[in-house]
């Protein structure tokens, strides 16, 4: 069944949860996996929420609680998206030559631009999450931020978005999600966020819009500079979306 393969692909790729390998990986399965990305990330978001709740219960400082929660999410996703963020930053900062930029991204070692970008984005995420914890809605903010980041994957893989390379994860998932489905994921995400307990309805919606906006800006930049997406670009989009959503939710 393709749905089963899509679930296994989403969970096995985006988390450390052990699952059997998909029997078939084609464009249909790949697209469905990107749509199901937020579902696959629910266990990560739940763990982060439990850490925030537990840290608050024992009186840990807000920043420490936020760092522990976000760190658990990164460990639970193998640091996959952080690696993509660093590689994408290095590639975009290395050269205006497309081939050279893609070569830098393929190497996998983090250069100064990648390291600086990682530090900046992680500081924004942790600081914003700490603000939400201090304001009393840290659990909701962390869960919503983590899931919003994964929701943007369907947008980045929507029909019409090309792959920067003929091989790799980007080539497998690029353009694999029908545009109406990608739009639908965003609408559902905003509708669910509007119902988030402890927040005014508009704040949840604004967080989703901010997350999508940040990921979309990066996506446009990468398509123009690199010719399309790679697996690294997808990971980078997730991280900037989480940061943007958490900033809105920190208020």
């Amino acid at each position: 069944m393709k749905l089963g393969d899509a679930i296994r692909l989403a969970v096995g790729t985006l988390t450390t949860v052990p699952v059997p390998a998909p029997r078939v990986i084609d464009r249909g399965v790949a697209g469905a996996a990107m749509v199901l990305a937020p579902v696959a990330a629910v266990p990560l978001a739940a763990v982060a929420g439990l850490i925030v709740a537990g840290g608050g219960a024992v009186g840990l400082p807000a920043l420490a609680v936020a760092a522990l929660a976000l760190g658990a999410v990164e460990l639970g996703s193998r640091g996959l998206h952080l690696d993509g963020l660093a590689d994408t930053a290095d590639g975009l900062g290395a050269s205006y030559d497309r081939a050279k930029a893609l070569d830098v991204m393929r190497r996998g070692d983090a250069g100064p631009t990648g390291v600086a970008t990682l530090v900046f984005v992680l500081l924004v995420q942790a600081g914003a999450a700490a603000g939400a914890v201090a304001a009393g809605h840290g659990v909701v903010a962390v869960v919503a931020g983590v899931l919003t980041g994964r929701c943007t994957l369907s947008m980045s893989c929507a029909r019409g978005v090309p792959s920067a390379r003929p091989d790799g994860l980007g080539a497998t998932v690029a353009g694999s999600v029908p545009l109406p489905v990608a739009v639908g994921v965003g609408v559902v995400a905003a509708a669910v966020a509007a119902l988030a307990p402890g927040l005014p309805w508009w704040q949840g919606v604004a967080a989703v819009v901010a997350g999508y906006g940040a990921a979309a800006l990066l996506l446009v930049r990468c398509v123009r500079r690199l010719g399309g997406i790679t697996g690294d670009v997808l990971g980078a989009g997730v991280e900037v979306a989480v940061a943007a959503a958490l900033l809105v939710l920190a208020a």
Side-chain angles (χ1 to χ4, degrees):
M1 181 183 295
K2 283 195 172 185
L3 178 59
D5 286 332
I7 293 172
R8 287 191 286 270
L9 180 61
V11 174
T13 302
L14 302 174
T15 77
T16 57
V17 177
V19 293
R23 292 167 295 179
V24 176
I25 300 179
D26 55 23
R27 290 188 65 76
V29 169
M34 294 300 98
V35 172
L36 292 169
V39 177
V42 166
L44 303 182
V47 168
L50 288 172
I51 290 173
V52 171
V58 300
L60 290 179
L63 182 58
V65 172
L68 288 170
L70 294 172
V73 173
E74 298 302 345
L75 288 175
S77 57
R78 304 185 189 88
L80 180 70
H81 307 309
L82 288 179
D83 178 68
L85 176 64
D87 288 345
T88 300
D90 279 332
L92 293 176
S95 172
Y96 281 99
D97 180 81
R98 173 178 174 272
K100 184 175 180 180
L102 288 171
D103 181 60
V104 168
M105 292 170 65
R106 191 188 290 273
R107 293 175 196 169
D109 53 337
T113 304
V115 171
T117 302
L118 278 179
V119 172
F120 172 72
V121 172
L122 287 173
L123 281 174
V124 171
Q125 289 183 357
V133 171
H137 55 267
V139 173
V140 171
V142 169
V143 170
V146 169
L147 296 182
T148 295
R150 278 68 184 174
C151 285
T152 65
L153 285 170
S154 56
M155 173 188 69
S156 299
C157 298
R159 201 72 47 82
V161 179
S163 174
R165 298 192 184 103
D167 55 1
L169 176 61
T172 303
V173 300
S176 62
V177 179
L179 187 57
V181 175
V183 172
V185 171
V187 171
V188 170
V192 173
L195 302 176
L199 293 175
W201 69 267
W202 59 264
Q203 191 170 13
V205 174
V208 172
V209 171
Y212 266 79
L217 287 173
L218 178 64
L219 177 63
V220 170
R221 178 68 169 166
C222 289
V223 169
R224 288 178 177 174
R225 281 286 310 279
L226 306 174
I229 62 168
T230 68
D232 288 329
V233 171
L234 297 178
V238 168
E239 294 296 344
V240 299
V242 171
L246 286 174
L247 276 175
V248 175
L249 293 167

